[in-house]
Amino acid sequence: MTALDSVAPVVGALRPIGLDELVDRAELLTRLDRKYMLPLTDLPLVLGGLDGGGPSRSSEVETGGVQVLEVDGERQFAYRSVYFDTPDMDGYRGAAHRRRRRFKLRIRTYLASGQHFLEVKTRGPRGTTVKQRVPYDGELGRLGPEARAYVDDVLRAAGIDSRGFRLVPALTTRYLRTTLFLPGSGSRVTVDTDLTWALPDGAELRTPERTIVETKAGRAGSGADRLLWSLRHRPCPVSKYGTGLAALRPDLPANRWLPVLRRHFPTAPALNGSPA
């Protein structure tokens, strides 16, 4: 039995929450994200702890129980994100050098429904992440005039002058996501598995033995964070966009992500000197 097989009974036993209710109770477009990359074999212990069935018990169990997003009877959803950046990789370099004014831009597709959203992430006060998004019905490989105007408006409001930016596809990610709601703190946890990264030239990297767990809560954290800390997992600077590009492109500055690359991406071109 695989680690994912052992996770299924835990997720299947959780009470469901619908998408509208989840958005209403925990939209959290302004939040502090904490990301953890763990071996897939550790995931059953984490989910069991959140649900009160493991040796480490989450406080969420005391305050209404953990719920799982369910849509049309499904609890795991396939995502694809096409990230855009300038040819000089201004968005990537802003994250790599931890610049105060930085951005991340993507078209996210929910593969089951075929819905697309144009999403822009910027930095808010005290390290929070601010995500703004609108439905998108244009080409996935380019930004039309209306989409580009939206991006420019969002970036301008965040203090980023994007005039002169030429935005082109830089990376595509694919993964499966399970979303949990923690009523006690009104926060969310996402669990991403079957992670794949691909460059426009077709170079690809997969990490089937790893999962990314992300908590989306206020500054004080949530029961999920405290559970992960008790299991000796600490937040790490893993970014699907930043870390994926650092892993696939040895020509880019990767110092910020080197510890994550060495621990979780041992076959990455950036660590082995092979061109992407």
Side-chain angles (χ1 to χ4, degrees):
M1 183 172 66
T2 68
L4 282 179
D5 290 333
S6 61
V7 165
V10 179
V11 173
L14 298 176
R15 290 191 302 119
I17 184 171
L19 182 58
D20 290 343
E21 184 181 359
L22 178 68
V23 170
D24 182 59
R25 298 178 66 184
E27 188 172 19
L28 290 171
L29 293 183
T30 300
R31 71 229 181 176
L32 187 63
D33 299 340
R34 295 177 178 88
K35 299 176 184 178
Y36 307 80
M37 196 163 193
L38 4 155
L40 192 60
T41 51
D42 287 2
L43 192 54
L45 184 61
V46 172
L47 294 182
L50 276 176
D51 193 40
S56 298
R57 185 179 178 89
S58 165
S59 61
E60 299 298 329
V61 178
E62 312 293 343
T63 53
V66 179
Q67 294 176 264
V68 60
L69 175 64
E70 181 176 291
V71 179
D72 296 330
E74 300 294 329
R75 298 187 170 196
Q76 188 177 61
F77 307 94
Y79 284 54
R80 179 184 64 222
S81 294
V82 179
Y83 289 87
F84 289 76
D85 210 329
T86 67
D88 291 332
M89 309 303 292
D90 289 274
Y92 172 89
R93 293 178 189 276
H97 299 300
R98 305 187 187 188
R99 293 172 184 154
R100 168 65 181 84
R101 290 185 173 88
R102 59 186 189 257
F103 69 93
K104 192 179 297 179
L105 168 63
R106 68 191 178 203
I107 297 172
R108 168 169 284 178
T109 300
Y110 299 86
L111 294 175
S113 66
Q115 290 181 298
H116 310 288
F117 289 88
L118 173 61
E119 301 184 344
V120 186
K121 286 186 176 183
T122 56
R123 301 293 284 181
R126 296 185 296 177
T128 57
T129 298
V130 180
K131 182 174 77 172
Q132 299 184 64
R133 73 177 194 169
V134 291
Y136 182 79
D137 59 4
E139 297 179 40
L140 298 184
R142 62 182 296 272
L143 298 177
E146 290 186 9
R148 180 57 196 262
Y150 175 79
V151 170
D152 289 341
D153 286 345
V154 172
L155 294 183
R156 187 181 305 113
I160 300 170
D161 184 359
S162 58
R163 289 175 300 178
F165 280 6
R166 184 164 68 91
L167 296 169
V168 295
L171 184 75
T172 298
T173 64
R174 292 179 176 84
Y175 51 92
L176 299 174
R177 169 165 289 184
T178 300
T179 299
L180 307 177
F181 174 57
L182 282 59
S185 56
S187 58
R188 282 186 286 151
V189 177
T190 58
V191 178
D192 297 338
T193 56
D194 199 19
L195 297 146
T196 303
W197 290 263
L199 295 176
D201 66 7
E204 187 174 283
L205 180 66
R206 297 188 65 238
T207 56
E209 302 305 321
R210 295 291 187 272
T211 179
I212 294 177
V213 176
E214 184 172 354
T215 65
K216 307 164 192 291
R219 180 161 294 275
S222 66
D225 290 293
R226 290 183 285 277
L227 171 64
L228 286 158
W229 299 338
S230 74
L231 296 172
R232 300 187 178 181
H233 294 297
R234 293 292 181 266
C236 61
V238 61
S239 154
K240 290 189 186 70
Y241 180 57
T243 310
L245 273 177
L248 281 165
R249 289 191 50 179
D251 60 303
L252 292 174
N255 288 354
R256 182 181 182 190
W257 294 293
L258 278 178
V260 177
L261 293 178
R262 288 171 178 151
R263 183 172 183 182
H264 297 290
F265 295 77
T267 63
L271 294 181
N272 294 283
S274 58

